[in-house]
Structure formats: C-alpha cells, structure tokens
C-alpha cells in the first residue's frame, strides 16, 4: 500500500465511524425522547389522595415522562395507582414531616446536592454534596438527615475512591460534618486509620444511629453517637444497615463470597442477642440499603438485568427461607411513611 | 510486509542533515494524535463511569472502589512484557497496535457488561492494553527523533495526549446533555474514538524497525534483545535514581486529601484538582521538554522533583486556601511535565537499540512500582503523624534524595547515548 492509499483508507474509516456513531446517537436520542414523552404504564392518581394514609415513597424508574420523579403509593395497595409528586431525585427518603432528596446535575463539572422538601413537596433547603449520591435516611421524627455520597476524582492519574457521609439538621442548623472525623472504636480498640470509609446511616433516634465502617478491606456494623461523636463496632462484616421500626433488629448486606467477588445477600441481626440470620433464599447480588416494610418484612430495589436504568422494588420476609416477591414495578429507593 | 523507505519520509527527514529544522517529526504527531483519540475515548468513559455504574448498573461505592482499584494496579505488570515483545520482534508498531486494539475491544464489551464482575473484566482488559502499548509507543517516538530534540518530542506527545484527556469528559457531558440518560451513546462514541485511534496507528503509524534500520545504516545487524541488555551500565544509574525518587513520590490522592484537610474547602472541589493538575501539565509539557533538551534531561528529571517537594509543602503550609490550591496544582503539573516524558526520553537512549523498548519499560516499571510502595508507606506515616507532619517529613526526605540524585546528573547527562 502506498502512503496515499493508507491516508485514503484512514479517511474512509473515520468517515464510517463518524456516520455510524452519529446514526446511533441520533436514533438513540430519538428513542430516548420518545420514551421520555410517553405516559407511565402504571395508573396514576393525584397526590392529594395518598397524603394522610400510611404510604410508600419511591423513585419511579419507568422509561416515560415521569422517569426519575418521586411517586407515592398507599401502603395497603403498593401495586395500585401511583401519585407523582413532581420532585426528581436519584435517592429519596421520606417521613411524614419532610423529604430528603439527593440530586445529580450532570455537566462538565457535574454537581450534586441534597434538597430538603416539606410535606407538600416544596423545597425548604438545599446543600451541595461532594460526590455521586448513594444513600440518604431521615431520623424517625424527621429532624435529622444523613447523606452518603462517593467522592471520586476522574481522569488520568486518579486513584481510589472514598465515601463522604454527613449528618445535618433538616432544613438547616447543626451540621455534624463527615462521620469519618468521629472517634472510631473497632473490636474494643480506638483506631485512627487513614483509609476509613463510613456509609449507610440508619437512625435509632436523634442521637443514636447505625452505619457501616470500612478499613483495610473489612467492614463493621457500628453504633454511632452524635453527641459524643463516636462510632463503636457492634459486629464485623455488615454493610448498609437498616434498623427495624421496633428497634430490635438490624438488616444489612453481607458479602457471601469474600475474597473472590462481591456477592451481597441480606442478613438480619438481633441487637439484644447478636444472633444473625442469613436470608438464604433472598436476593443474591443485592446492592441497596434495605428498608423495613414492617417489623417482619424487608424492602429493597433491584435493577432489571435486561433493561438498563429500570429497577423494581421487592419485598422479602426476614426469615432464613423466605422467598422475595415483586412489590412495586419500576421503582427504586423506597421508604415507608407510617 | 516489506515497506520501502520511500514510503516513510520521516526516515529521510531524520537521517538527512536538514532534520534539525523540523525536530518534531510526523511520527511524533501521528502517535500524539493516536494517544489523543485514545484518551478522548478512555477519559470520556472514566468521567461517566461513576454515574453509569451507580445510576444505571446500580452498583455501590464499594463495588465501584474494587473496580477502580483494578484499574490502577494491572498495567505496571504487563509493561515489561510489552517491552520484551516489542524488542524481540523488532515490531514496536504492531505491539502497540495490539495494546490499543485490546483497549478498543474492551469498550465493545463495556456496552454489554452488566454487574460488577463483567465490568471488572472489561476494565482490566483496558488496563492490560494500556500496559502493553505505552513502552513500544515511547520507543517509536525515541527512535524517530534526533537525540537533541527528544525532550521536546515527548513534550509534544504528552501535550496531545493530555488534550485528549481534557476533551474526553467534555465530549461525554455534551452527549449526556443532548441525550439525557444516554450513557450508551457515550459508550458508542467512545468506541468510535478508540477505533479511529487504532486505525490511525495501523494505517499511518510508522513501522519503525530499529534493529533492521541499524543494520542498513552501519552494516552488521545488532544482536537480538537479551534481558542482559537491561543491566547496561548506562541504564543502571537512571533506574537507581528513578527508584530512589519514586520511593518518595506519594500518590496525588494524598496531596489532594492533605489540601482538603488543611483548609476549610468543600470536598466538592476534589475532582477539579485533577483537572487543574492536567491543565498545568498540558501547558508545561512542551516548554519543560525543550528546557530539558537545552540544559540536560537528567537534570530536569531530578530537579522536577523539587516541584514535587514544593507541592507537598504547599498542600500543608498555612497560607490562604486559594494560594495553596493553585500553588499545589501548578507545582504538581510542573512535576509531571518534568518527569513523565523525560524518563522515557532518557531511558530509550541508555540501552543498545535492540533493547530500546524494554529499557523504557524497565524505567517506567521502576517508577510505577516504587510509587506504589511510596503510597502504601505514606499511608502509615499519615496514620502515625497526621497529614501535616507526614507531608513535611516526606518533603524533607525527598529534598535530601534530590540532593543525592543530583550527584549522578552529570554522569547521566554525559553518558554515551545510543543514536
């Protein structure tokens, strides 16, 4: 081949690539736009109809014009008509008093924030977040907000990842800052590792909470105290805890294939006895902070394997041999408001 | 395939006496553009990967962290293998092509990968590709450039490379803005850039065969590559200096963390630290490379570490946050401009021609491995002393190491180089 033929061949390849990528982008763009203008499959109902009764608040993930907005269904009819609130959140946590909503605003400098909304879905406060939203929870009376994001530098010589988990008062006020700055006690010893990460807060009350602490490749379930600024380990190998409504049990993810891959399943631990039950027939490869539907049942979101971006909310009894059931289609990040 | 010399004006250019007039040859520009296209591809994916994995694939920080860890460690290991293959076959172009190709193939699978395991495999393949291609590519730059202009040539290459790294995220977010939630569009466009890079190298890249050319020029064919060539008396002091300085080079991550710890700055700025450092690097790569050609590459390599000492100090000394941030990022960019391409420029000429790629790979591996040790060690130091004292300590040690290394500069810069 002469130099000219090679140059020509290169130009042909580039033109072919530009055309192929262009056609794909335009087609995909059109398809996404068509999807995003379609009406949701699920029947709809006005928000007013579900404000007073016990309900489940979640992120709607159907590929339609309500994609990503927060929806509400009655607790006694989770598969029924859903009410769309107009608030768009990546992660959402709700109480009767208000809502914590984590938002991503993509752009060259993608920004993230936590918005606090009142019971009528009006914004009362917002704070920038230092990274990609991962978890949020409210305290039982709705006065405290916990957020977990993960901070990652993109590009070139970047390395590693880090979480940032913060607690602050709903609507502004006291900020406890990054929980990594709290005193950490693991297995009875005060430690101060540089590689620590804290994530997945669940509140017991306005002082005590549970969370995950990780260092040196291991994870712990820790009990935190906001006044004393301490984190004390309860037991090892537990991630993303969720405290049951009666405060007696904690459900969390455990890696059942440690060392090789990360395959999470749900386990439930009795706080009084320390006895741990693995939900043997529960979801494998779950990656969500679970939520309690009631004192015996657990809720969690699971991505659909065949439809990127679409997730469903499942429920499973907190027993060793319970089978999961599909509870709400096209849903993510569920919280129960009683 | 036999290629006549007429097909490659570059060769004439570098052997003709007029070569000094255009020191940055076509080879450097072509390879720079290959790197630019490839970096647009890889950085557009890295920019959206955290969002894609968490929002679409549904992975958490931990799973992502494991994948990100894989992203880093793998490439140092395969680098020497790529160097050996390139020297043994005397075909750096096609070994580099294999590396670029492997990374492009990984992009295809990323489109279909779901779940942590699949994505980990894809990311690992991508990094293996990077490990294989780097040294042969640098050897081609080295072989196609007159010795006196090597620093500038590598500067130009690294500048183009970094422009790609800066454009990648920009392109990704413009696409996401045009097609909301269109992560697959970003992946497809990224694949197109990767394939264009591979095609550019395959079709227009120079098939430099240093050993054969050497035979045509001077008569006897140089002997085939032997591992013993890497123990060359000229290369050893460079490896020693790189190792010594590498042991005191802690990861950027730590410097940025110290910067965050030192001031009351929002963690929100963390990703922008990388952007700032890249920008400084991009602007300084060529001027610092030219300076290296003028005053001596080993001198610039060693003195560049003083910029790193400055960055360590800047990140912890009490000044205004703005001054500390700008100073640290600028000094860090200077450090990369003075070291990254310069090491390759030096190493390629301190071994016989038949070992050029392996020589470069050896130096780059020493740098990568010692820096990994440095970061692990510094983690403990940080734990024992706290960020401020730990940074001051490593800054003092590095300053001492630079003084020690400076005693070797004359020997390195005046060593007899392979043409």
């Amino acid at each position: 081949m002469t130099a000219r033929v090679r140059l020509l061949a290169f130009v042909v390849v580039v033109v072919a690539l530009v055309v192929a990528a262009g056609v794909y982008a335009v087609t995909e763009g059109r398809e996404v736009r068509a999807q995003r203008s379609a009406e949701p499959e699920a029947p709809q109902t006005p928000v007013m109809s579900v404000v007073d009764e016990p309900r489940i608040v979640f992120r709607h993930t159907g590929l339609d014009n309500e994609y990503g907005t927060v929806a509400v269904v009655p607790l006694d009819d989770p598969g029924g008509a859903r009410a769309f609130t107009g608030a768009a959140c990546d992660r959402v946590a709700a109480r009767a008093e208000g809502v914590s909503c984590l938002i991503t605003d993509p752009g060259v400098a993608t920004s993230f924030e936590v918005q606090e909304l009142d019971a009528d879905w009006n914004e009362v406060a917002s704070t920038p977040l230092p990274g990609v939203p991962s978890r949020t929870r409210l305290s039982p009376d709705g006065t405290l907000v916990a957020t977990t994001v993960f901070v990652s530098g993109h590009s070139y010589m970047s390395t590693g990842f880090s979480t940032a988990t913060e607690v602050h008062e709903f609507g502004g006020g006291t900020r406890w800052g990054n929980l990594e700055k709290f005193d950490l006690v693991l297995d009875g010893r005060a430690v101060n590792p540089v590689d620590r990460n804290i994530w997945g807060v669940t509140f017991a009350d306005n002082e005590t909470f549970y969370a995950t602490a990780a260092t040196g490749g291991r994870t712990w379930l820790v009990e935190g105290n906001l006044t004393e600024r301490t984190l004390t380990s309860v037991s090892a190998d537990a991630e993303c805890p969720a405290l049951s409504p009666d405060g007696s049990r904690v459900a969390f993810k455990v890696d059942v294939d440690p060392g090789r891959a990360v395959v999470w399943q749900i386990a439930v631990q009795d706080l009084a006895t320390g006895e741990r039950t693995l939900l043997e027939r529960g979801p494998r490869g779950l990656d969500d902070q679970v939520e309690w539907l009631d004192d015996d049942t657990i809720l969690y979101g699971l991505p659909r394997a065949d439809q990127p971006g679409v997730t469903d909310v499942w429920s499973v009894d907190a027993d060793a041999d319970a089978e999961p059931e599909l509870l709400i289609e096209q849903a993510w990040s569920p919280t129960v408001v009683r | 395939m036999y290629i006549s010399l007429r097909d490659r004006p570059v060769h004439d250019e570098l052997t003709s006496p007029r070569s000094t007039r255009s020191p940055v040859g076509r080879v450097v520009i072509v390879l720079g553009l290959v790197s630019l296209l490839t970096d647009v591809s890889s950085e557009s994916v890295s920019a959206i990967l955290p969002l894609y994995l968490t929002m679409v694939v549904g992975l958490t920080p931990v799973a992502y962290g494991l994948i990100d860890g894989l992203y880093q460690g793998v490439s140092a290991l395969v680098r020497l293998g790529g160097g050996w293959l390139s020297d043994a076959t005397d075909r750096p172009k096609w070994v580099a092509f294999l590396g670029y190709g492997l990374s492009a193939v990984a992009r295809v699978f990323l489109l279909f990968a779901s779940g942590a395991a699949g994505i980990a495999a894809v990311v690992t393949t991508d990094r293996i590709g990077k490990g294989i291609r780097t040294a042969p590519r640098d050897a081609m730059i080295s072989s196609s450039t007159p010795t006196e202009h090597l620093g500038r040539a590598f500067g130009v290459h690294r500048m183009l490379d970094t422009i790609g790294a800066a454009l990648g995220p920009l392109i990704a977010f413009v696409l996401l803005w045009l097609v909301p939630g269109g992560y697959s569009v970003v992946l497809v466009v990224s694949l197109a850039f990767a394939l264009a890079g591979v095609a550019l190298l395959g079709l227009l890249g120079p098939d430099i065969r240093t050993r054969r050319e050497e035979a045509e020029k001077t008569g006897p064919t140089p002997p085939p590559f032997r591992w013993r060539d890497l123990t060359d008396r000229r290369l050893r002091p460079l490896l020693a200096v790189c190792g010594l300085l590498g042991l005191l080079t802690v990861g950027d991550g730590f410097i940025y963390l110290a910067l965050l710890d030192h001031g009351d700055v929002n963690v929100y700025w963390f990703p922008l630290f990388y952007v700032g450092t890249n920008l400084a690097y991009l602007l300084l790569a060529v001027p610092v490379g030219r300076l290296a050609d003028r005053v001596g590459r080993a001198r610039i390599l060693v003195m560049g570490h003083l910029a790193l000492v400055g960055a360590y100090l800047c990140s912890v000394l009490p000044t205004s946050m703005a001054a500390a941030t700008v100073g640290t990022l600028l000094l860090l960019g200077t450090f990369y401009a003075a070291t990254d391409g310069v090491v390759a420029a030096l190493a390629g000429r301190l071994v016989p021609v038949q070992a050029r790629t392996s020589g470069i790979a050896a130096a780059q591996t020493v740098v990568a491995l010692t820096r990994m040790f440095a970061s692990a060690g510094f983690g403990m130091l940080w734990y024992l002393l706290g960020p401020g004292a730990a940074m001051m300590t490593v800054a003092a040690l590095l300053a001492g190491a630079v003084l020690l290394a400076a005693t070797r500069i004359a020997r390195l810069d005046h060593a007899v180089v392979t043409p």
Side-chain angles (χ1 to χ4, degrees):
Chain A
M1 270 196 280
T2 66
R4 189 169 299 170
V5 172
R6 286 155 176 271
L7 187 63
L8 196 67
F10 175 65
V11 171
V12 169
V13 169
V14 168
V15 169
L17 287 171
V18 169
V19 169
V23 166
Y24 181 83
V26 169
T27 320
E28 186 71 9
R30 224 174 258 158
E31 204 169 299
V32 166
R33 238 159 265 153
Q35 273 174 357
R36 296 292 167 90
S37 59
E39 284 295 309
E41 288 167 21
Q44 297 184 42
T45 177
V47 180
M48 302 304 290
S49 65
V50 280
V51 282
D52 292 326
E53 54 188 311
R55 55 200 182 270
I56 303 174
V57 175
F58 59 92
R59 177 181 198 250
H60 172 76
T61 61
L63 300 173
D64 49 50
N65 63 10
E66 295 288 357
Y67 182 81
T69 55
V70 176
V72 187
V73 290
L75 191 58
D76 54 16
D77 184 21
R82 56 186 71 180
F84 292 101
T85 63
C89 311
D90 294 343
R91 292 274 172 178
V92 61
R95 297 284 182 201
E97 298 77 10
V99 178
S100 163
C101 169
L102 308 193
I103 292 173
T104 301
D105 184 12
V108 174
T110 302
S111 60
F112 313 95
E113 62 174 359
V114 50
Q115 281 186 355
E116 282 124 55
L117 312 172
D118 63 17
D120 297 322
W121 301 92
N122 296 315
E123 182 180 327
V124 289
S126 91
T127 321
L129 288 173
V132 181
S134 177
R135 309 283 182 233
T136 184
R137 284 292 183 267
L138 293 164
S139 62
D141 65 0
T143 54
L144 298 182
V145 184
T147 58
T148 298
V149 299
F150 74 101
V151 186
S152 77
H154 53 250
S155 109
Y156 230 92
M157 299 137 188
S158 70
T159 165
F161 89 107
S162 178
T163 57
T165 296
E166 304 196 1
V167 173
H168 67 268
E169 233 172 291
F170 186 88
T174 310
R175 296 187 169 274
W176 281 265
N178 195 333
L179 300 189
E180 281 176 22
K181 304 275 181 188
F182 280 28
D183 295 331
L184 183 60
V185 178
L186 296 181
D187 297 333
R189 283 194 316 136
V191 293
N192 190 19
V194 63
D195 69 341
R196 88 187 77 174
N197 278 303
I198 314 293
W199 68 90
V201 166
T202 181
F203 289 100
D205 51 45
N206 286 337
E207 174 155 24
T208 314
F209 62 91
Y210 293 88
T212 313
T215 168
R218 291 194 69 193
T219 59
W220 282 265
L221 170 67
V222 292
E223 183 181 321
N225 187 300
L226 287 176
T227 322
E228 289 164 15
R229 296 179 68 83
T230 53
L231 297 167
T232 312
S233 67
V234 177
S235 62
D237 304 320
E239 295 174 47
C240 289
L243 191 63
S244 64
D246 64 10
S248 69
R249 294 196 285 177
V250 183
F252 43 77
K253 301 189 303 182
V254 283
D255 182 1
V256 292
D257 192 8
R260 294 190 55 239
V262 176
V263 179
W264 285 297
Q265 282 187 269
I266 303 175
V268 176
Q269 183 165 323
D270 191 302
L271 282 172
T273 65
E275 192 187 335
R276 191 180 276 206
T277 312
L278 183 70
L279 307 195
E280 304 273 3
R281 305 170 74 173
R284 279 182 75 84
L286 163 94
D287 199 350
D288 191 15
Q289 182 172 18
V290 303
E291 164 82 352
W292 292 80
L293 182 66
D294 51 46
D295 285 325
D296 306 305
T297 317
I298 293 166
L299 294 182
Y300 55 88
L302 211 57
R304 285 188 193 172
D306 54 342
Q307 256 185 311
V310 183
T311 52
D312 298 304
V313 166
W314 294 71
S315 72
V316 64
D317 285 347
D319 296 324
D321 57 352
E323 297 269 0
E325 281 174 42
L326 182 61
L327 188 76
I328 312 174
E329 284 191 57
Q330 302 179 336
W332 180 243
S333 199
T335 31
V336 179
V337 181
R338 294 178 186 85
Chain B
M1 151 176 61
Y2 177 76
I3 298 157
S4 78
L5 284 180
R6 249 179 330 117
D7 273 1
R8 281 172 295 140
V10 170
H11 186 87
D12 300 330
E13 195 180 285
L14 74 96
T15 50
S16 81
R18 281 168 296 136
S19 66
T20 43
R21 271 175 46 206
S22 71
V24 176
R26 202 195 64 166
V27 173
V28 174
I29 301 294
V30 168
L31 292 176
L33 291 176
V34 170
S35 291
L36 187 150
L37 291 168
T38 307
D39 260 30
V40 165
S41 172
S42 61
E43 294 305 314
S44 60
V45 170
S46 331
I48 61 149
L49 207 57
L51 287 178
Y52 178 69
L53 293 182
T54 48
M55 293 180 64
V56 178
V57 182
L59 297 177
T60 46
V62 186
Y64 178 72
L66 289 173
I67 289 170
D68 207 45
L70 280 176
Y71 223 90
Q72 308 302 326
V74 182
S75 80
L77 295 171
V78 291
R79 208 172 280 239
L80 272 176
W84 169 78
L85 193 63
S86 165
D87 283 333
T89 58
D90 196 23
R91 289 275 189 171
K93 172 181 172 175
W94 295 107
V95 176
F97 185 84
L98 176 74
Y100 281 107
L102 211 53
S103 293
V105 169
R107 299 262 172 283
V108 179
F109 287 107
L110 192 58
L111 270 168
F112 304 104
S114 61
I119 288 165
V122 167
V123 164
T124 310
T125 311
D126 180 62
R127 287 291 120 166
I128 290 174
K130 188 177 169 61
I132 291 175
R133 72 187 177 234
T134 310
R137 181 200 64 204
D138 285 349
M140 282 192 282
I141 297 173
S142 186
S143 294
S144 67
T145 309
T147 312
E148 65 270 26
H149 295 303
L150 268 183
R152 189 202 306 203
F154 274 99
V156 168
H157 176 269
R158 295 303 196 259
M159 180 191 69
L160 289 171
D161 182 272
T162 311
I163 288 174
L167 282 179
L170 218 63
I171 291 171
F173 287 113
V174 167
L175 288 171
L176 274 189
W177 176 69
L178 290 172
V179 184
Y183 292 98
S184 66
V185 173
V186 178
L187 296 183
V188 166
V189 169
S190 151
L191 172 64
F193 273 101
L195 291 175
V198 171
L200 179 58
L201 177 65
L203 290 166
L204 299 176
D207 192 17
I208 289 170
R209 304 193 59 181
T210 320
R211 212 161 80 209
R212 206 182 61 189
E213 280 165 18
E214 197 66 19
E216 281 164 2
K217 253 193 310 192
T218 59
T221 310
F225 166 73
R226 294 155 307 177
W227 288 104
R228 212 184 323 147
D229 292 330
L230 291 185
T231 59
D232 195 294
R233 289 180 53 179
R234 294 169 294 160
L235 184 65
R236 269 182 289 169
L238 176 67
L239 295 184
V241 165
C242 284
L244 172 68
L245 296 172
L247 280 176
L248 295 163
T249 304
V250 303
D252 299 8
F254 279 114
I255 300 175
Y256 299 152
L257 283 176
L259 205 52
L260 286 181
D261 198 84
H262 141 276
D264 200 16
V265 65
N266 197 321
V267 198
Y268 172 67
W269 296 104
F270 196 78
L272 293 181
F273 289 165
Y274 291 91
V275 177
T277 303
N278 260 356
L279 202 66
Y281 180 21
L282 184 152
L283 294 174
L284 290 168
V286 177
V288 173
R290 292 181 67 158
L291 190 66
D293 288 334
R294 206 165 306 154
V295 305
R297 285 181 276 273
R299 178 172 299 177
I300 289 296
L301 173 71
V302 172
M303 293 307 157
H305 285 76
L306 287 180
L308 185 61
V309 173
Y312 290 162
L313 294 177
C314 225
S315 69
V316 291
L317 285 181
T319 46
S320 79
M321 194 57 210
T325 308
V326 171
T328 304
L329 303 188
L330 202 63
L331 285 165
L332 209 49
T334 312
F335 163 68
Y336 282 115
T339 52
D340 189 28
V342 176
V343 167
L346 269 169
R349 297 305 172 110
L350 295 177
V351 285
V353 277
Q354 69 271 17
R356 182 161 283 159
T357 322
S358 304
I360 293 174
Q364 290 172 338
T365 306
V366 165
V367 170
L369 288 180
T370 48
R371 283 184 188 174
M372 261 166 61
F373 281 119
S375 285
F378 186 73
M380 284 195 278
L381 202 63
W382 177 297
Y383 162 64
L384 289 171
L385 305 178
M391 275 296 175
M392 301 291 265
T393 308
V394 77
L397 288 173
L398 181 57
V402 168
L403 281 181
L404 188 62
T407 62
R408 304 278 148 177
I409 289 178
R411 271 182 67 190
L412 276 166
D413 268 336
H414 297 126
V416 183
V417 294
T418 312

